[in-house]
Every structure is written in structure tokens, then in C-alpha cells.
Amino acid sequence: MTSEHPAPSPPAGGDPAPGAGSTPPPDAPGHPRSRAVGRGLGTGARVTGRGLRGVGRGVGRAGSYTLSQAKRASRAQGAEQSGLSRLIELHAANAAGDAAVAISLATTIFFAGATSEARGQVALFLGLTMLPFAIVAPLIGPFLDRFSHGRRWAIGATFAMRGFLCWVLADAVASESNLLYPAALGVLVSSKAYGVTRAAAVPRLKPDDLTLVKANGRVSLAGVVGAAAFAPIAGLAAYAGSEWCLRYAFLVFVVGTILAIRLPAKVDSAAGEQSMSLREARPGGARRGTQVPRSVAFALRANCGPRWLSGFLTMFMAFLLRENPIAGWSPTVLIALVIGGAGAGNTLGILFASLLKKINPSVTVVLALLVDAAVVLVGALFYGVLALVLLGLTAGLAQSLAKVSLDSTIQSDVPTHVQASAFARSDTTLQLSWVVGGFVGIALPLNPQLGLGVACAVLAAWAVFVLGVRRGSPAPSAGAPFPA
């Protein structure tokens, strides 16, 4: 019988092909089903590739748009012409580098032992945080005052030093070298020295259309954006090891060194500086003392309250929520809510300072102190998740607005050639307040009503003292200094 479909002829000069005249098995490459699966996989891969490329383009456009908007905001209201935009970009790089260092050291030095069984180690950490300020105030501040004609190089030196120490610290972390703590201390000192020099440079670059409060707020906001934008990169680097996160910080600080040197030349200008000293001889040959304007002294005293509360809440809540979490809530989630609320409040404070048309610094610092005391009282009476979030949000907002107001008061009322010393000493005082609050938070029993009640009493008493001292101060004569 003749086949309806004759078998194909064998290839010329050879034997018939294996399996000729029979249907290939389903898993054979030539089977129709296999070809269909292959086409489907190819189509799916192409669709997935196009989708990923689309997502990549979308992310790229979003990132490019965000970057362009950030640059546009940094250059608005005359900031580009005055040179403030360059300082804003520099501060964003500083925040990105400091965030990378903090992420790396979080698991290697400071917070690895921050458990409820290690209060002594945390107290040691608090003491360590005071060392940079103890060095900055008596040594670096006066040095930077005398080095005012080279502020760009002084700022660049703080970046270069941190870059070098981050590279050393990366090797120390990888090898567990004894250089770990000295290098970490050097990074902290350099970071605080940058804060002093940067604050002293803002008045030189402030546009005429901006107040000092708004200029400080805009610079601080750039720091928040820089830390938020580049912290994820540092986090990815930390997955490979803390040393790689520090090497990433090294690259950021190298870029910051270049940006610092490219600051406008008027940062180094001495035009308008006064030849007066903060130290004034007293009648009768009495011992001379450091003098600051009364407005600065008042703003600094008022700032001590919110900063004390920040240190207290950091330590007290860290131990309280680990030992006695709220029923039905994880300690990690509760701590994240408090920290997130504080971060959101800090960001809101910077936004308000940079966007509001006018802020009265002397009124703002008092409101920050009084609102903190009121919210702590609410937290003690209605302790719960909502109260904790509100407490963190208010503490961050009050501290941020109070600090911006203090910086503006120093920049407007302290002679330019001694502003570095003024900033260094104010930062030392505020850090001391933070450390004292932290020690109190560690020492108190882990009872929320008791701890928050003590905090409310301390803030209320401090508010009475600050307002009472200001009311009892004699009226100043024009340009006369007052003791801090």
C-alpha cells in the first residue's frame, strides 16, 4: 500500500537521517510544542526586557527630574549669584558622607552593644560623643577664627581629613586594628569642625532676598535631601561589609573636598569684620570672661531644653521599648515609629525655616521649649503608640527650629571674626545637654509615666529659669556684650 506521505529521500551520498519518517519526541528541539514554548519564552524575555528598560527609563527620568528640581531650588532667590547654591551642594555631599559613616559605625562601634544588658557601654558611648566637642571648642574654634582668610581651605581640609580617616578606618574595621577608635574619633572631630566652618560661611554667601533663618534652613534641607538620596547606596555597600561603606564615604569626601575649594572667593573676604574681642576687661581688674550678646545667650539657654529632651528620649525609649513594649507591638516597630517621627519632625522644621517668609528667632526658641514640655506631659498622661509618635514628631520639629534660630542669632549678633568660636562653644553646650539627657534616660527606672513625668518637670523648671533670667537681665547698651 502506498503511503500518503512518502518518506523523505536520504541525503545525497549518505545514510538516511536518524528517525527519518517519524515524529520527533515532545522534548526534542524540532517538535512543534517545543518550538511554541521557545517562542513563548523568547517573547516573554523580550517583553520583560522592554519592561525593565521602561522602568529604568522611568527611574532615570524621575531621578533626573528630582535632581534638576533640587538644583533649581538651591539656586532660587539669588542663591546662584551669591554663591549660596555651591554651599548648599557642598552640605548635601557632607550629609551623604556622614550618613555612610554612621551606617558603617552603627554595627561596629556605637550601637552594637546598645541593649538592655549594656547600659555601661552606652554610657561610655555618651562620653565618647563629648570628646569631639571638647576638642572643637577650645582649640579648633579659635584657630578657625584666625584662619578666616582661608575658610575655603579650612572647609576643604575637614573633608580631606575625613576622606583619609575613612580609608584608614575601613582597613581598621576589616582587620580589627587598634586604629579603629582613634580613626573614628578623628572623623567625628572633623565633622564637627566642618559644622563650625560651614555655619561661619553662611552670612558671607547669603543673598539679599533671604533672611539668615531661611538661608540656614535651605542649607539644612540640602543635608536632609543628601542623606536621604545617598544613604541607600551606602546601605548597599554595607551589605558587602562595613569597610566598603567607609570606602564609599571616602569617595564622597573626595568630591566634597573639590566642591569646598570651588566655593566663591568672598567666603574668605574680611570685608566688614570688626577688630573687637569677645573677651572684655572688667572694672577693677577683675578676671576677664568670655562675653556673648544677650540675645545669643538667651537662644542658647532655650536650645538646651529641646536638646536635653532629644538625648533623654534617645536613651530612655531605646531601653524602655525593648524591656516593656506596648502590648501587641514589636519593640523594633515601636522604636522605628519614634525615630521616624523624630526624623519627620526634623525635616518639617527645616522646611518651615526655609519656606516661611519671616521667623522671629527669640520667639521660636521659647515656643520650642514650651511645646516640648507640653507634649511630654501629654505622653506621660496618655502613654501609647500615638503619644509616642507625637512625642517624636514634636521633639524633632522643636529641636530643628530652635537650632536654626540659634544659628541665625549667632550669625547676626556675633562679630564675624569670632563666629567660629561662638559656633564651637554653642555646639559644645548643646552636645553637653544631649549627653546629660542621655545619662538621665539611662539612670531612670524603665517606667513610662515616671520617666516622662521627670522629663516634663525638668523642661518646665528649665523654661522658668530661662524666662526668669531674661526678665531679670539689665537692658543692654548698644553693641555691649553680655555673659553667656
Side-chain angles (χ1 to χ4, degrees):
M1 185 174 62
T2 303
S3 171
E4 185 177 352
H5 300 286
S9 302
D15 295 332
S22 61
T23 302
D27 57 350
H31 193 275
R33 185 181 302 172
S34 298
R35 289 196 297 270
V37 172
R39 286 194 299 269
L41 292 176
T43 303
R46 287 193 296 271
V47 171
T48 302
R50 286 195 296 268
L52 290 176
R53 285 195 297 271
V55 171
R57 286 193 296 269
V59 172
R61 291 195 198 99
S64 177
Y65 176 78
T66 302
L67 182 61
S68 64
Q69 291 300 309
K71 287 184 177 180
R72 181 180 177 183
S74 68
R75 298 171 180 175
Q77 293 181 287
E80 183 176 12
Q81 290 76 15
S82 69
L84 182 65
S85 61
R86 293 190 182 183
L87 184 62
I88 289 173
E89 294 170 358
L90 175 69
H91 191 61
N94 171 78
D98 281 350
V101 172
I103 290 172
S104 175
L105 298 185
T107 56
T108 55
I109 294 182
F110 297 136
F111 301 113
T115 63
S116 55
E117 294 84 12
R119 292 196 181 192
Q121 295 181 16
V122 179
L124 180 62
F125 156 68
L126 292 179
L128 180 63
T129 61
M130 273 304 299
L131 289 177
F133 291 91
I135 297 172
V136 166
L139 300 179
I140 296 181
F143 170 76
L144 293 175
D145 286 333
R146 296 184 180 91
F147 199 58
S148 61
H149 296 288
R151 289 191 186 98
R152 288 181 296 171
W153 295 99
I155 296 174
T158 64
F159 276 89
M161 182 63 67
R162 278 182 286 175
F164 170 74
L165 291 175
C166 280
W167 194 267
V168 173
L169 191 57
D171 292 337
V173 168
S175 61
E176 299 183 358
S177 167
N178 292 331
L179 293 175
L180 182 65
Y181 283 92
L185 179 60
V187 171
L188 291 175
V189 171
S190 300
S191 179
K192 301 309 175 186
Y194 161 78
V196 172
T197 54
R198 186 266 302 169
V202 171
R204 291 290 178 198
L205 301 177
K206 181 186 75 66
D208 294 335
D209 294 338
L210 287 182
T211 63
L212 279 172
V213 174
K214 292 189 69 173
N216 285 322
R218 188 170 293 186
V219 173
S220 299
L221 182 60
V224 174
V225 173
F230 292 95
I233 301 177
L236 291 176
Y239 274 109
S242 297
E243 63 274 17
W244 289 105
C245 190
L246 289 166
R247 291 186 178 115
Y248 164 73
F250 162 79
L251 295 176
V252 175
F253 288 132
V254 168
V255 174
T257 303
I258 299 172
L259 292 176
I261 297 173
R262 293 185 66 250
L263 285 173
K266 63 181 177 180
V267 171
D268 300 330
S269 173
E273 290 190 355
Q274 305 176 30
S275 58
M276 63 176 292
S277 173
L278 285 182
R279 293 186 176 275
E280 180 183 60
R282 296 189 176 182
R287 181 176 61 87
R288 294 187 304 170
T290 300
Q291 306 290 305
V292 297
R294 187 176 65 178
S295 59
V296 175
F298 174 74
L300 181 58
R301 292 192 194 102
N303 264 264
C304 288
R307 191 58 64 96
W308 181 92
L309 179 62
S310 175
F312 173 82
L313 291 178
T314 299
M315 296 302 160
F316 183 72
M317 289 299 172
F319 291 113
L320 173 67
L321 297 178
R322 288 177 187 273
E323 288 291 321
N324 304 313
I326 298 175
W329 291 84
S330 166
T332 303
V333 173
L334 290 172
I335 293 175
L337 287 174
V338 176
I339 294 175
N346 182 71
T347 304
L348 286 175
I350 293 172
L351 282 172
F352 289 156
S354 60
L355 296 178
L356 293 179
K357 292 184 177 180
K358 186 176 181 181
I359 293 180
N360 189 324
S362 61
V363 174
T364 302
V365 292
V366 173
L367 288 178
L369 179 58
L370 295 178
V371 169
D372 268 349
V375 172
V376 171
L377 178 61
V378 171
L381 296 177
F382 306 99
Y383 181 72
V385 176
L386 291 178
L388 289 178
V389 174
L390 178 63
L391 187 58
L393 181 68
T394 305
L397 176 64
Q399 178 181 301
S400 177
L401 285 175
K403 182 62 169 68
V404 169
S405 299
L406 172 63
D407 289 349
S408 301
T409 304
I410 293 175
Q411 290 164 347
S412 61
D413 294 353
V414 173
T416 307
H417 77 288
V418 287
Q419 283 183 0
S421 292
F423 279 112
R425 294 185 182 278
S426 68
D427 283 350
T428 302
T429 303
L430 295 181
Q431 183 66 8
L432 178 61
S433 301
W434 193 95
V435 171
V436 171
F439 277 125
V440 173
I442 292 175
L444 285 177
L446 299 179
N447 181 288
Q449 284 75 25
L450 174 62
L452 294 177
V454 169
C456 178
V458 169
L459 291 175
W462 186 252
V464 171
F465 167 75
V466 170
L467 296 175
V469 168
R470 188 186 193 191
R471 177 173 297 180
S473 299
S477 59
F482 285 81

